[in-house]
Amino acid sequence: MYITFTDEAMKKISPILNQKNDRRIVLMYEDGVSPYSITAEGAMQISLVILILRNDQPLLPWFDMEVDSNYGKIPVKGYAKEYLAENMKVEVSTFGGLVITSEQGILDDSVIVRDGPMMA
């Protein structure tokens, strides 16, 4: 699996990611599992969150798999890989929000960026 973050998408992610040097990107399937998950109300649809965490915030046991990207390894929940695709792209939609697409089409058209350092 591979995730490409477009330059335009990174312009939306960078203000949170670059607040301090000790932060990383995590791609989270929002299912209510992990201390960084807020709700699983969207369980009837795929809900992906670009989660920004400090390097010292724990990943295991929830994020037990990594996906390569043009910004390094991105931790994900291994059991949620069925909701992902082989080649994904995080880009800005025509309406200005973030979307994750793949060769199969749109995986999530309302991706949010969550600042996780105050969590867990």
Side-chain angles (χ1 to χ4, degrees), residues 5 9 18 20 28-29 37 39 50 52 54 56 65 68 76 78 92 96 102-103 108 115-116 119:
F5 291 87
N18 295 329
K20 295 195 176 183
M28 180 175 70
Y29 173 61
S37 201
T39 180
I50 295 173
I52 307 301
R54 290 186 322 267
D56 66 345
M65 182 178 141
D68 289 322
V76 299
V92 177
S102 74
E103 58 276 357
D108 190 340
D115 188 357
M119 306 176 88

Side-chain angles (χ1 to χ4, degrees), residues 59-84:
L59 294 175
L60 294 176
W62 315 284
F63 301 94
D64 57 350
M65 182 178 141
E66 291 182 328
V67 175
D68 289 322
S69 83
N70 57 326
Y71 279 88
K73 302 265 186 201
I74 306 295
V76 299
K77 295 174 180 176
Y79 63 83
K81 68 181 177 184
E82 67 185 80
Y83 302 110
L84 305 177

Side-chain angles (χ1 to χ4, degrees), residues 4-48:
T4 300
F5 291 87
T6 65
D7 291 341
E8 294 78 21
M10 285 310 295
K11 286 179 186 173
K12 292 191 167 281
I13 298 168
S14 289
I16 296 173
L17 179 63
N18 295 329
Q19 283 181 5
K20 295 195 176 183
N21 290 332
D22 68 340
R23 292 184 173 206
R24 61 184 164 197
I25 298 173
V26 175
L27 181 61
M28 180 175 70
Y29 173 61
E30 181 67 277
D31 60 354
V33 178
S34 92
Y36 313 115
S37 201
I38 293 175
T39 180
E41 290 177 4
M44 296 304 291
Q45 69 183 41
I46 295 174
S47 181
L48 298 171

